[in-house]
Amino acid sequence: MLVTLAVRAVLIPVGVSVAKAAQGRRRIAPQLAALQKRYKKNPEKLQKETMALYAAEKVSPLAGCLPMLAQAPVISLVYALFASAHIAGEPNPLLDASLFGAGLGRHLLDLGSGLQPSDLVFVALLLVIGLVAWLSRRMALRDAATAPTPAADAPGAALLNPRGPLSWAPFVTLIAAAFVPLAATLYLAVSGAWSYAERRILRAIYT
């Protein structure tokens, strides 16, 4: 958990940049709506003008992906450390660590081989991840209510449409938690809760 908190603290500037980008997207929403109305029959021109507007206003349409990309190496390292039975030819001492009695190297899929009371920590963490995913999607949809929706036939519409299939992306974490060691599940839960709280605070600041 301390590793998670340390990583999230280091990534606070990234969170600030994401909040500023979201503020920028809200600011240029009327201009985006005007472009979509003007070029709705010319998807290629619409995409070109949209990207030009983002560049001119110094707003990134994909800034929201930065925290996930920045954490990917850390999550991969945590997974590798707790998924390996041996390190440098020696038994992995990290597998002896536990969280409320549940081994940090155990997987959710291991529970079928013998459920123990301590394994309820898996349930608790999954509930946290699921709740955070639901709250995050609700926040994103609330923000999207004031943003223009890209034309369905515009190139990259699915990527730029905050109300499209990608709005369910937060729940990917919940699925991933079923296939990683408890240590990684803990990281995902704490990091997700931090991200949501950080977004709420920064959203209030950059409105």
Side-chain angles (χ1 to χ4, degrees):
M1 182 178 293
L2 293 178
V3 172
T4 308
L5 296 177
V7 171
R8 293 303 318 194
V10 170
L11 292 179
I12 287 178
V14 176
V16 172
S17 68
V18 171
K20 289 182 177 179
Q23 179 189 44
R25 288 194 296 273
R26 290 191 295 270
R27 174 170 48 83
I28 66 175
Q31 295 168 268
L32 287 174
L35 287 176
Q36 291 178 16
K37 182 177 180 180
R38 182 177 181 182
Y39 298 110
K40 64 180 180 179
K41 295 183 179 181
N42 190 341
E44 293 184 3
K45 182 67 173 179
L46 174 59
Q47 182 185 39
K48 181 179 178 180
E49 292 297 325
T50 298
M51 292 299 103
L53 175 62
Y54 277 121
E57 297 293 335
K58 295 181 173 57
V59 175
S60 171
L62 301 177
C65 299
L66 291 178
M68 184 181 298
L69 294 176
Q71 292 182 82
V74 179
I75 296 175
S76 299
L77 178 60
V78 171
Y79 175 84
L81 287 175
F82 286 89
S84 302
H86 296 82
I87 295 180
E90 299 292 332
N92 186 353
L94 295 176
L95 298 182
D96 295 329
S98 63
L99 176 66
F100 299 114
L104 291 179
R106 285 174 63 85
H107 292 65
L108 178 63
L109 299 179
D110 294 336
L111 301 189
S113 61
L115 182 63
Q116 303 174 11
S118 59
D119 291 330
L120 291 177
V121 70
F122 280 99
V123 178
L125 292 177
L126 290 176
L127 287 175
V128 170
I129 294 173
L131 177 61
V132 169
W134 178 73
L135 291 173
S136 297
R137 183 175 186 271
R138 190 176 70 166
M139 181 190 297
L141 292 178
R142 187 164 57 246
D143 291 342
T146 59
T149 302
D153 57 350
L159 183 62
L160 296 177
N161 186 356
R163 292 180 285 270
L166 287 182
S167 68
W168 294 96
F171 288 92
V172 172
T173 302
L174 184 60
I175 298 174
F179 300 95
V180 298
L182 177 59
T185 302
L186 174 63
Y187 181 95
L188 293 172
V190 175
S191 180
W194 176 298
S195 294
Y196 177 74
E198 182 180 79
R199 286 180 61 194
R200 287 295 300 268
I201 294 172
L202 293 176
R203 187 174 181 274
I205 296 173
Y206 296 102
T207 53

